[in-house]
Amino acid sequence: MTASHRPLKRFGQNFLESAWAEKLVRSIDPQADQTFVEIGPGRGAITLPLARSARHVVAFEIDRDLAADLRATLPGNVTIVEGDFLDLTAPELVDALRRCSAEGPIRVAGNLPYNVASPILFKLTELVGAGVPLADAAVMLQREVADRLLAAPGTRDYGVLTVLIGHVAAVDRLLQLPAGAFRPQPKVLSTVVRLRFQDPHPAVVDPRVFAGMTQAMFTRRRKTIANALLAYGSPAGIAPEQALAAAGIDPQRRPETLAIAEIAALSDAYANARRRAVL
Ligand code: SAM
């Protein structure tokens, strides 16, 4: 590693101490037939122990200097791709995996830059939705973000992130870490969660309607659901009361009390109305 490299705040660079990196990789339990996609390898704290156990690691690093250092030092079963993970498309990822002859389960790992953690989570679901066969993702997050992923309906943390990620992944907690596990130390506590990707559960008529309606209704999370849905407008001319009746949901409930299956039923009411309007 070049001695001149200083951790960059804009890239969320909080490097994991090696004892914690080893502990994290043990909890991920990499196997010899598995290929890993790593987001933000940094100085290679996780990359190296992953590469010792896994078949191959394809690591995406935005920091040009770190990417160059890693290329010079890491073993042959690691491919470093320099660039912004958020710009990655499904065909580009498939191509990168093909070039390293990836076989077997494809897994994701990363101590995420906290400033863009949610967009990275959505990028992962976008890649899976576009057909990239990612099995799971073990990601380090700011504890509050992990709490939102794991929240139950009716709690303060339950919201857009819980619903949109929980619809396509089963989420569980792997590890909790103190600020002292990183250099420099972040001002927040950290949690590693595992997302096991699944087919959307339950399936929805139109995923874009599901996402758009969910985002809109949580902008008014303390209102009644009938009122909150006004934030979504009335696509295809259907009023909130009609959509709620079609989904069998009491209009007096609050958005934050709706389970994912209920939100899916509600979005299907809108999506079906739109389809009928188009036909
Ligand atoms: N994995 C290393 C570790 O655990 O010590 C570094 C983790 S650090 C929290 C986040 C890493 O992600 C940094 O190396 C940073 O340069 C990189 N990074 C930040 N934004 C990125 C992006 N959009 N795409 C790819 N890498 C990114």
Side-chain angles (χ1 to χ4, degrees):
M1 207 50 49
T2 46
S4 60
H5 184 273
R6 296 264 176 281
L8 298 175
K9 213 171 176 178
R10 73 173 188 280
F11 289 152
Q13 292 178 348
N14 298 95
F15 300 107
L16 203 48
E17 294 282 286
S18 65
W20 281 100
E22 297 280 351
K23 194 168 175 179
L24 167 57
V25 171
R26 272 199 301 281
S27 78
I28 295 173
D29 193 23
Q31 301 294 316
D33 65 335
Q34 298 172 345
T35 296
F36 275 82
V37 171
E38 190 189 352
I39 304 161
R43 296 170 175 163
I46 304 172
T47 325
L48 203 51
L50 272 181
R52 268 191 230 116
S53 303
R55 176 187 162 91
H56 204 99
V57 182
V58 186
F60 294 84
E61 176 54 60
I62 200 170
D63 185 316
R64 185 185 305 174
D65 295 338
L66 289 178
D69 285 347
L70 287 167
R71 275 203 195 99
T73 53
L74 286 173
N77 65 337
V78 178
T79 304
I80 302 295
V81 182
E82 186 195 313
D84 187 338
F85 188 79
L86 291 172
D87 290 339
L88 187 67
T89 65
E92 285 166 350
L93 178 54
V94 168
D95 189 48
L97 291 166
R98 194 177 295 131
R99 270 189 271 128
C100 69
S101 311
E103 279 177 13
I106 299 174
R107 306 183 63 193
V108 178
N111 171 12
L112 299 189
Y114 291 170
N115 49 347
V116 286
S118 294
I120 288 176
L121 294 175
F122 286 124
K123 169 58 77 171
L124 288 172
T125 65
E126 175 198 315
L127 293 168
V128 172
V132 184
L134 304 177
D136 69 349
V139 285
M140 177 94 66
L141 301 166
Q142 179 176 336
R143 189 162 297 179
E144 288 76 10
V145 176
D147 288 345
R148 281 158 58 198
L149 283 176
L150 292 155
T155 63
R156 194 194 49 180
D157 289 329
Y158 186 76
V160 174
L161 199 63
T162 330
V163 172
L164 295 187
I165 302 294
H167 186 228
V168 291
V171 186
D172 61 304
R173 204 183 299 266
L174 281 187
L175 269 185
Q176 311 251 47
L177 291 90
F182 306 85
R183 293 289 178 275
Q185 296 192 16
K187 290 194 174 65
V188 294
L189 300 173
S190 299
T191 297
V192 180
V193 298
R194 177 174 31 206
L195 278 57
R196 272 171 293 167
F197 296 109
Q198 61 191 18
D199 289 337
H201 184 72
V204 290
V205 171
D206 186 338
R208 284 164 308 178
V209 172
F210 178 72
M213 189 204 77
T214 301
Q215 276 157 349
M217 74 184 211
F218 277 109
T219 62
R220 300 185 181 181
R221 54 183 294 135
R222 305 248 175 264
K223 310 275 186 199
T224 64
I225 182 67
N227 186 325
L229 283 173
L230 294 173
Y232 185 51
S234 59
I238 187 176
E241 287 72 17
Q242 290 169 282
L244 287 160
I249 295 170
D250 177 352
Q252 293 306 310
R253 286 176 63 188
R254 315 265 160 204
E256 63 195 15
T257 68
L258 298 188
I260 293 176
E262 293 176 303
I263 297 172
L266 195 49
S267 90
D268 280 355
Y270 281 105
N272 286 328
R274 181 177 287 179
R275 278 194 171 181
R276 281 195 296 273
V278 170
L279 289 177

